[in-house]
Amino acid sequence: MKVLVTDNAHLYKTPDGKYYTPSIYSYEFFKRYLNVFDEVRFVSKTKYVDTIDTSNFLLVSGKGLEIYELPWYQGIKGMLKNIFKLLVRYRKICDGCDCYIFRVSQIESYLAYIIGKRRGKSFAVEVVNDPFSFTDLKGIFKWINIRMLKHIVKKANGASYVTKNFLQGLYPNRAMLEGECERYFESYYSSIELTESDIRKPKTFSDTNSPFEIIHISNSINSNIKGHKTLIEALKIVCNHGYNITACCIGDGNLVSEFKRYAEELDVGDKVHFIGRLHSRQEVLDRLSKGSLFVFPTYTEGLPRAVIEAQAVGLPCISTPVAGIPELLDKRYLFEPEDSKSFAYEIMRLINNTDELEEMSSINIEVAKRYTKEKLNKRRTEFYSRLRKLAENEND
């Protein structure tokens, strides 16, 4: 039994035929599917490289996993330049697969659904974000994305969401509208890979002489959708009030230099540290655990892994009321993405209330425990098993 899985992914291929990723899509990621299906075909834009630094990249290749290569491109303009090559690839994307899982909202999933999907084949969707909150999509492009997501969710046999309630309300599936049955079903689970052993002890905040470090994570720093400018502006305000504070930004991308310049313009260049991308979950958790407060002024999300990982190591968190974040954090710790003043004054208030920081740490750990792999795998496996059963019935 072979399943097609689509997402917006970029992989690197070495001459020995192995595939690597800077983050997320390691072979460990695909075990969730391979626990139920015999084979997985994963669709990815692929770049051929002569060598790769394996200490900075994760191995993707493994038993039962096939990579279906697309031409390498980034962004809408890059896609349009390669459109004819892409059309050829998408026409055969589903050949040999028994069922499909489209991770949405991603344009790669929509193209696979429109061009490659075969009639009579069961499919499911995993709704991982909300296109309504996409800041880089405007006008007709955003409208099309939203309409397409609503359409594909209603047509799917199975629909799972990263949120418990929020995305379901915006994009209801057929099981919700007509009632769940053998052919139409739903679930919810995060995409995070977090084990019970990853959960740390609550933090203490007794050392008031040490610099107070705020931490931010964005895997790809190619836009301002994760609120880097708001973070830098808030830091400037806090510094102006005489607080001993620094910021650590995890991640990499083509806008890092621009954000560094912005920090220098605000005279906090020596306070903001961009440390690059951390490639393993353990590296991320270890670095998060050294911080004092997770500050995440994001504009668009589904249910952010970054917040849950910060909670898992006991970091107090403040963020925005976007998508599923209110399912993770109390509303008093949520502010509008562009409101740097509110973020700044909340940071200062919390610095002066260490008892509250310790309470937030304990609460966040309990929230993170709901998202461990041990708990999520049960729902994932049940969801995938129902899709497999449908596909087996179709092949009988």
Side-chain angles (χ1 to χ4, degrees), residues 234-271:
L235 183 73
K236 169 65 172 177
I237 295 171
V238 175
C239 288
N240 284 349
H241 282 76
Y243 287 87
N244 184 15
I245 186 170
T246 61
C248 170
C249 295
I250 300 171
D252 201 4
N254 54 33
L255 285 190
V256 168
S257 57
E258 179 179 317
F259 292 137
K260 284 182 177 179
R261 284 194 299 270
Y262 190 61
E264 290 169 358
E265 289 172 8
L266 295 185
D267 200 28
V268 290
D270 61 331
K271 299 287 186 179

Side-chain angles (χ1 to χ4, degrees), residues 330-374:
D330 190 280
K331 63 181 180 181
R332 57 188 163 150
Y333 301 123
L334 304 177
F335 309 93
E336 292 304 314
E338 70 283 354
D339 191 357
S340 54
K341 287 185 178 179
S342 291
F343 273 99
Y345 285 110
E346 181 64 5
I347 292 168
M348 290 186 286
R349 189 188 72 79
L350 289 171
I351 290 175
N352 295 320
N353 289 274
T354 56
D355 288 346
E356 184 174 352
L357 285 171
E358 291 179 359
E359 180 184 16
M360 293 169 71
S361 176
S362 297
I363 291 172
N364 283 353
I365 286 173
E366 294 305 312
V367 172
K369 287 179 180 178
R370 303 201 299 257
Y371 296 92
T372 59
K373 180 191 296 187
E374 291 81 0

Side-chain angles (χ1 to χ4, degrees), residues 85-249:
K85 293 179 181 178
L86 288 169
L87 289 175
V88 172
R89 294 296 289 159
Y90 274 110
R91 288 194 185 102
K92 299 181 179 181
I93 204 167
C94 295
D95 290 0
C97 294
D98 300 290
C99 55
Y100 323 123
I101 297 176
F102 302 117
R103 291 172 62 83
V104 289
S105 169
Q106 309 290 7
I107 192 168
E108 291 79 9
S109 293
Y110 295 152
L111 291 174
Y113 171 78
I114 294 170
I115 300 172
K117 180 182 176 298
R118 302 293 181 258
R119 288 186 178 182
K121 296 285 187 179
S122 298
F123 75 96
V125 293
E126 294 183 315
V127 186
V128 299
N129 50 34
D130 176 18
F132 182 79
S133 63
F134 289 178
T135 57
D136 55 344
L137 278 181
K138 306 293 183 183
I140 188 65
F141 297 104
K142 179 177 284 191
W143 182 84
I144 291 173
N145 199 315
I146 293 170
R147 295 295 298 177
M148 190 64 205
L149 179 54
K150 289 182 177 180
H151 169 80
I152 194 172
V153 168
K154 288 180 181 178
K155 291 293 184 179
N157 298 97
S160 74
Y161 304 79
V162 292
T163 61
K164 188 175 181 180
N165 298 301
F166 179 79
L167 290 171
Q168 289 88 328
L170 295 176
Y171 309 102
N173 59 80
R174 195 159 178 175
M176 293 171 59
L177 297 171
E178 300 177 9
E180 189 158 324
C181 62
E182 183 177 333
R183 188 159 183 78
Y184 299 106
F185 48 93
E186 65 164 320
S187 186
Y188 70 94
Y189 46 80
S190 168
S191 299
I192 193 169
E193 289 286 330
L194 187 72
T195 66
E196 291 179 357
S197 62
D198 290 329
I199 305 293
R200 311 288 173 87
K201 294 181 179 179
K203 293 181 69 69
T204 58
F205 293 85
S206 56
D207 187 0
T208 56
N209 294 320
S210 298
F212 191 91
E213 184 185 59
I214 58 178
I215 293 193
H216 180 285
I217 293 181
S218 176
N219 185 52
S220 297
I221 308 178
N222 297 316
S223 70
N224 189 45
I225 62 172
K226 301 301 182 182
H228 285 86
K229 285 190 174 181
T230 299
L231 178 78
I232 294 168
E233 292 164 1
L235 183 73
K236 169 65 172 177
I237 295 171
V238 175
C239 288
N240 284 349
H241 282 76
Y243 287 87
N244 184 15
I245 186 170
T246 61
C248 170
C249 295

Side-chain angles (χ1 to χ4, degrees), residues 34-82:
L34 289 167
N35 285 337
V36 175
F37 297 97
D38 304 308
E39 297 178 81
V40 173
R41 172 183 290 169
F42 183 63
V43 180
S44 174
K45 287 153 277 188
T46 304
K47 177 182 283 189
Y48 288 72
V49 294
D50 293 329
T51 60
I52 202 161
D53 183 358
T54 56
S55 64
N56 288 324
F57 285 81
L58 303 172
L59 180 64
V60 180
S61 303
K63 183 179 179 181
L65 177 61
E66 171 201 347
I67 303 301
Y68 189 87
E69 299 178 6
L70 295 179
W72 180 275
Y73 69 87
Q74 291 181 316
I76 297 296
K77 290 182 180 179
M79 183 191 72
L80 294 175
K81 288 181 180 179
N82 289 276

